[in-house]
Amino acid sequence: MVFRKPPDGGWGWVIVVVSFFTQFLCYGSPLAVGVLYLEWLDAFGEGKGKTAWVGSLANGIGLLASPVCSICVSSFGARPVAIFSGFMVAGGLMMSSFAPNIYFLYVSYGIVVGLGCGLLYTATVTITCQYFDKRRGLALGLISTGSSVGLFIYAALQRELIELYGLDGCLLIVGALSLNILACGSLMRPLESSSSPPPEKMFVDKVPDQYFVYHEKEKTIEENISILEKGYTDEKCVNNVPDCKQDSILNKNVLRSININEKDTYKKKVVEQTNFCKQLAKRKWQLYLTYWKDTMVLFKNKVFSALFVAILLFDIGGFPPSLLMEDVARSANISEDDYYMPLISIIGIMTTVGKLVLGILADFKWVNTLYLYVTTLIMTGVALFAIPFAKSYLTLAMLSGILGFLTGNWSIFPYVTTKTVGIEKLTHAYGILMFFAGLGNSLGPPIVGWFYDWTQEYNTAFYFSGFCVLLGGFLLLLAALPCWNACTNQSSRLPPNTYSYKVASNA
């Protein structure tokens, strides 16, 4: 697809608004699943690790399928994918209200809703990066706050809906709200060049029309001949019976000669269609090989290779607090009278602040976005180590706010990826990285839950989480520092398909 130069404004701000509300509507319930998690524990009586799979799948399955999501967005565009995914999210939430057991929720809430969210996330990030260049950090920061605002509002909303209508009624209402994604998706107008049609379309347009309408034409010829034959025969039969028989024999001979010619034409068209299909299959196979070749080239970049390890470990350790913090407070025997605000809501509002602040910082030329991202990872690991020492609501609220702010580094992650591989490879590289992020999201909460089921306390679990995040941060830092200047100096001598992260002065 041929894109015009990013306008950095205009309709791009409409894209930012609708992308914000899209992430708000689709991620509000999955990110605030900690409220539903407590209800599912009481309703189904399963273990914490087993029940945590529902929320972890909802937040991880879409990221695991990111390569597929990227292919869908590249093939069909952001608008059709967003509209289709809106039906998936709404349908999955409504289906979950009828769940008879935890296994049904794995499919309805975990897989269906999670996959829909993954498609929507890829669509919103991709189309926003296409519309913005100089202000890309700000734009990504604004749209990514949609999920954080959704976490803040849905945490209180779902709790209130559960009290009024029960768990089933809550899921039905939240699913109905998600249908507004369809309106948002319809406004995601693609940024295309009107003078240059897409390559795929040009290739298809070269196919002769008879390949597609051949059967329709043949059917029309047969219908016309049948009608003429019938009308002519009926008229003759009314006036003269012998003429009727004679004309019928003559018509049959004419039709027989026509059928012979049609058979020859049909065989010719079949051969042509077969050759066309072979060429199309060969071309698709070449695209498939090119895709995997480009993937291997990406992993030759040390920064990119360290980035996928860091995002995997970060999501294994950094995601569980947003799902389990309410249960952590309940396990610490904190009285409900001390609650001024749900801890999940604090995480949500501070994540919004973090995404905005970090997104704005990423636009400053003197800020190295990779170092900024590494700093957030290290600070997150330290905060996770401090959770076992929090024994009051105030300390847990402070740690929730810190973790929420640092989790805002999601707003600069697409920015880091773009600067690492270039805008041309963003969709490809981002899909790979989101696959590992989804793997971490899917494994993190169940691992923490299993630690609790094993030890009957959360201390060991959060020590493990903090270690994972710190390890990922230090690995990314070590991968970047030794080759930083070398990559910068040699970038001009690298092959065209090899990408290196640029220094802060060029970021």
Side-chain angles (χ1 to χ4, degrees):
M1 185 174 292
V2 180
F3 296 108
R4 298 195 302 267
K5 182 180 179 181
D8 278 301
W11 191 260
W13 294 119
V14 178
I15 297 296
V16 169
V17 172
V18 298
S19 298
F20 171 88
F21 281 105
T22 297
Q23 293 201 18
F24 170 84
L25 293 167
C26 74
Y27 275 106
S29 180
L31 289 179
V33 73
V35 176
L36 304 176
Y37 172 74
L38 298 177
E39 299 295 325
W40 288 329
L41 281 175
D42 298 335
F44 300 115
E46 301 287 352
K48 294 182 185 293
K50 195 173 184 179
T51 307
W53 270 110
V54 180
S56 63
L57 284 174
N59 288 277
I61 197 70
L63 299 177
L64 281 171
S66 286
V68 178
C69 297
S70 300
I71 293 173
C72 291
V73 174
S74 299
S75 301
F76 303 106
R79 178 189 287 170
V81 170
I83 294 174
F84 175 77
S85 303
F87 282 110
M88 289 187 64
V89 173
L93 289 170
M94 293 180 181
M95 287 170 56
S96 299
S97 64
F98 304 100
N101 51 55
I102 199 71
Y103 302 103
F104 187 92
L105 287 173
Y106 288 164
V107 178
S108 62
Y109 197 97
I111 297 178
V112 177
V113 175
L115 185 57
C117 290
L119 288 167
L120 288 168
Y121 183 79
T122 305
T124 54
V125 169
T126 301
I127 196 169
T128 301
C129 288
Q130 291 170 1
Y131 269 87
F132 288 89
D133 183 19
K134 296 180 181 178
R135 300 178 179 177
R136 185 175 294 148
L138 174 61
L140 290 172
L142 289 173
I143 69 167
S144 61
T145 57
S147 58
S148 304
V149 174
L151 170 58
F152 172 71
I153 294 178
Y154 272 73
L157 176 63
Q158 290 186 146
R159 176 172 293 180
E160 188 67 23
L161 290 176
I162 290 173
E163 293 180 359
L164 294 175
Y165 306 104
L167 179 61
D168 297 342
C170 169
L171 290 170
L172 283 174
I173 295 173
V174 171
L177 289 174
S178 300
L179 289 173
N180 290 285
I181 296 173
L182 307 181
C184 296
S186 64
L187 295 175
M188 294 182 182
R189 187 172 66 193
L191 182 65
E192 297 182 33
S193 176
S194 58
S195 60
S196 300
E200 286 288 336
K201 187 174 181 181
M202 292 174 60
F203 183 77
V204 175
D205 286 345
K206 293 180 181 179
V207 181
D209 293 338
Q210 61 264 28
Y211 289 167
F212 301 102
V213 299
Y214 175 74
H215 294 294
E216 182 178 353
K217 288 182 178 180
E218 294 295 333
K219 183 178 179 181
T220 304
I221 292 173
E222 293 177 1
E223 289 177 350
N224 292 337
I225 293 174
S226 177
I227 293 173
L228 290 174
E229 178 189 1
K230 182 178 180 182
Y232 181 78
T233 304
D234 290 344
E235 183 179 355
K236 289 291 183 180
C237 288
V238 171
N239 298 326
N240 194 339
V241 176
D243 291 341
C244 172
K245 295 180 179 179
Q246 184 177 0
D247 289 341
S248 297
I249 296 173
L250 179 62
N251 289 334
K252 291 180 179 179
N253 292 332
V254 173
L255 289 175
R256 188 176 294 109
S257 62
I258 292 176
N259 289 333
I260 293 174
N261 293 331
E262 288 178 356
K263 288 180 180 179
D264 294 338
T265 304
Y266 176 76
K267 291 179 180 179
K268 182 179 178 181
K269 302 305 180 185
V270 168
V271 173
E272 292 176 351
Q273 283 182 320
T274 303
N275 292 333
F276 169 73
C277 292
K278 288 180 178 179
Q279 293 176 0
L280 183 61
K282 183 179 180 180
R283 183 173 181 273
K284 293 296 183 182
W285 177 251
Q286 291 296 331
L287 291 175
Y288 177 79
L289 292 178
T290 302
Y291 175 86
W292 286 108
K293 187 183 295 183
D294 291 342
T295 301
M296 299 306 298
V297 170
L298 287 175
F299 279 100
K300 291 181 180 179
N301 188 325
K302 293 181 180 180
V303 177
F304 180 83
S305 299
L307 199 59
F308 90 84
V309 177
I311 193 65
L312 171 65
L313 296 176
F314 171 74
D315 279 275
I316 289 177
F319 177 66
S322 62
L323 175 62
L324 304 173
M325 192 61 79
E326 295 292 331
D327 194 48
V328 170
R330 188 168 71 172
S331 300
N333 297 321
I334 296 176
S335 174
E336 294 183 0
D337 297 335
D338 297 333
Y339 269 68
Y340 301 101
M341 182 184 296
L343 296 175
I344 296 180
S345 296
I346 296 175
I347 293 176
I349 194 64
M350 290 306 297
T351 302
T352 304
V353 176
K355 287 180 177 179
L356 285 174
V357 172
L358 295 174
I360 294 172
L361 285 176
D363 283 332
F364 289 107
K365 293 183 178 180
W366 53 270
V367 174
N368 188 308
T369 51
L370 182 62
Y371 288 159
L372 180 62
Y373 184 75
V374 170
T375 301
T376 60
L377 294 183
I378 295 175
M379 294 178 66
T380 300
V382 174
L384 289 170
F385 273 114
I387 290 180
F389 300 98
K391 302 299 181 182
S392 66
Y393 172 81
L394 181 60
T395 53
L396 282 176
M398 292 176 60
L399 288 174
S400 297
I402 294 172
L403 288 170
F405 181 86
L406 296 173
T407 306
N409 62 9
W410 273 101
S411 66
I412 63 173
F413 189 74
Y415 199 94
V416 172
T417 306
T418 304
K419 289 298 181 180
T420 303
V421 301
I423 186 63
E424 298 83 5
K425 296 292 182 180
L426 172 63
T427 304
H428 185 187
Y430 202 73
I432 296 172
L433 293 174
M434 288 302 99
F435 172 83
F436 290 101
L439 186 62
N441 270 350
S442 300
L443 296 177
I447 289 174
V448 172
W450 289 330
F451 269 114
Y452 182 90
D453 293 336
W454 178 38
T455 62
Q456 295 302 308
E457 46 88 16
Y458 277 114
N459 294 350
T460 306
F462 282 105
Y463 289 146
F464 171 79
S465 298
F467 173 77
C468 288
V469 177
L470 282 176
L471 178 62
F474 282 118
L475 286 176
L476 181 58
L477 183 62
L478 291 175
L481 285 177
C483 63
W484 194 262
N485 294 327
C487 287
T488 304
N489 296 331
Q490 297 176 6
S491 59
S492 59
R493 292 179 292 175
L494 291 174
N497 291 331
T498 304
Y499 306 96
S500 62
Y501 196 95
K502 298 182 180 180
V503 295
S505 59
N506 294 330

